[in-house]
Amino acid sequence: MAFVPQVKKWPTDRAVLLVHGIGNASGNGEAAFPLTELKAAIGADATKIAIYTLNYDFINDWAARKLQLGSAIDALGKAIADHYDNAELSATLAEYCGDLLWPVLHRETRLAIHDAYLAQLDQIMVDCINSMAARGEDPATAKVSIIAHSLGCYHTFEALHTACTDPQFNLQPGTDLTQLESVVLMASPVQLMRTIASGIKKLIPSPSELAILNSDGLSLPAEIMDGERILAARQFVSVTGTQDPVGGHLLGKLNDWAFMNIKGQRTLLVNQSLVAGDPVTSLKAALLEGATKVGAVASLVKDPHSWSDYVSGQSELLTDLLTKGLVT
């Protein structure tokens, strides 16, 4: 089915786009997003913000596309397992992370998501102009933010790089005056994907299209204007947990090869714990089964990759960014 951007009337001069990490496995439309947690985190000011959501349920053959990849999926899983180098967890991590990262191997899927993302950003800017102009307000004072989770961070990274460098989309932050207020990347796999994708580059269709594989390394999306870098957003914030393998940690240890640390970003580490006892068993349970399916430890295990928990735990940050526009 064709992607249809959300259209909203802004109550004030602020908007936020929530970007999901997975495809139709997200299920239930907006119910898949941590909207309740976000509104609780920022309180009464939530009513003053136009809240958009982006997932990929318009791709209705998500599982079939993955099956088409065949041996490439196996190579992806092996590369993930080899890098984590933990015999007890390698199979679990290969399956879990592979389920998140496989779209990088499927060009049609990548481009469909990429185009949908840019179409939604464009619609947000149109809604901004229409809503604010109708109230006699200057759209140039609008404050738009993005909160992305998991693979949604990768899609955000790629889409914003395109927005900054390709004038056809009219989303360049300097030329088109569309600089975002903030981008919050929760449990970002961008560095993880760069490392893994670099090792299986021959299996990736049109790898030169990917910003994560830029030969100069990872950089924050920006437009070069009169020799000056105009960032896509005034502030980029990376939030990741100390037990979240997608965000670059394994059993409390930071892995440089998987941890996103781009010059200019603000990094917040969330201290996480799994459960008393064997940490390997706890992490397996958290990632593969979930708290309702792990028997005796069900009430103790928490998913370190939970988007809802990330949002609930960052009330102060989100309040500052979405209601005050603070840049620190």
Side-chain angles (χ1 to χ4, degrees):
M1 73 180 72
F3 174 75
V4 179
Q6 293 181 343
V7 178
K8 293 184 179 290
K9 182 177 180 179
W10 290 24
T12 64
D13 61 348
R14 297 176 185 272
V16 62
L17 172 64
L18 303 184
V19 184
H20 212 290
I22 56 177
N24 57 11
S26 63
N28 299 322
E30 288 203 347
F33 292 84
L35 294 171
T36 299
E37 292 82 359
L38 177 63
K39 291 174 182 177
I42 59 181
D45 283 331
T47 60
K48 302 176 183 178
I49 303 171
I51 301 177
Y52 297 80
T53 59
L54 175 66
N55 64 16
Y56 322 108
D57 293 352
F58 65 93
I59 302 176
N60 53 18
D61 58 346
W62 193 261
R65 293 185 184 211
K66 181 182 176 183
L67 288 175
Q68 292 173 6
L69 295 172
S71 60
I73 288 289
D74 296 332
L76 174 64
K78 184 178 185 304
I80 293 169
D82 289 347
H83 272 86
Y84 275 114
D85 192 25
N86 185 300
E88 294 179 284
L89 284 168
S90 60
T92 299
L93 293 167
E95 180 180 351
Y96 187 81
C97 294
D99 280 345
L100 294 174
L101 307 186
W102 71 263
V104 74
L105 298 171
H106 198 286
R107 185 170 184 264
E108 182 183 353
T109 300
R110 281 180 4 218
L111 293 179
I113 294 171
H114 178 270
D115 291 347
Y117 200 126
L118 291 171
Q120 184 61 74
L121 276 183
D122 180 68
Q123 185 61 54
I124 290 172
M125 298 305 171
V126 171
D127 290 350
C128 167
I129 293 172
N130 291 341
S131 297
M132 296 188 68
R135 296 192 297 264
E137 299 170 358
D138 183 1
T141 65
K143 296 177 173 60
V144 180
S145 294
I146 294 173
I147 302 173
H149 176 246
S150 193
L151 191 62
C153 300
Y154 155 75
H155 295 312
T156 298
F157 187 81
E158 294 290 337
L160 291 183
H161 267 284
T162 298
C164 287
T165 58
D166 192 335
Q168 71 170 306
F169 295 102
N170 298 315
L171 291 169
Q172 293 181 291
T175 301
D176 301 306
L177 301 178
T178 57
Q179 187 179 49
L180 303 171
E181 181 67 18
S182 59
V183 172
V184 182
L185 304 177
M186 294 181 163
S188 171
V190 165
Q191 180 61 55
L192 167 65
M193 294 183 72
R194 176 178 172 83
T195 300
I196 299 300
S198 296
I200 58 170
K201 196 171 183 178
K202 292 181 179 180
L203 299 175
I204 297 175
S206 304
S208 62
E209 295 175 343
L210 298 175
I212 60 166
L213 290 178
N214 190 298
S215 59
D216 294 329
L218 297 176
S219 62
L220 297 180
E223 176 189 4
I224 306 302
M225 186 176 182
D226 298 328
E228 181 182 355
R229 281 174 53 83
I230 310 296
L231 293 176
R234 295 175 63 208
Q235 182 163 237
F236 283 83
V237 184
S238 172
V239 180
T240 194
T242 57
Q243 296 288 344
D244 192 339
V246 179
H249 289 76
L250 184 61
L251 301 175
K253 177 185 176 183
L254 187 153
N255 294 282
D256 289 333
W257 64 268
F259 179 72
M260 189 183 77
N261 187 23
I262 304 175
K263 182 179 179 181
Q265 76 176 43
R266 176 184 173 192
T267 301
L268 295 177
L269 290 181
V270 179
N271 289 321
Q272 295 175 321
S273 60
L274 294 169
V275 67
D278 178 25
V280 172
T281 300
S282 299
L283 185 57
K284 283 184 178 180
L287 296 182
L288 295 184
E289 301 295 336
T292 62
K293 300 181 181 179
V294 293
V297 297
S299 64
L300 299 176
V301 174
K302 295 189 70 174
D303 180 4
H305 194 56
S306 166
W307 193 7
S308 293
D309 287 349
Y310 275 116
V311 170
S312 295
Q314 296 301 318
S315 176
E316 182 177 353
L317 170 70
L318 297 177
T319 298
D320 285 348
L321 294 179
L322 301 183
T323 70
K324 303 175 184 177
L326 297 184
V327 178
T328 60

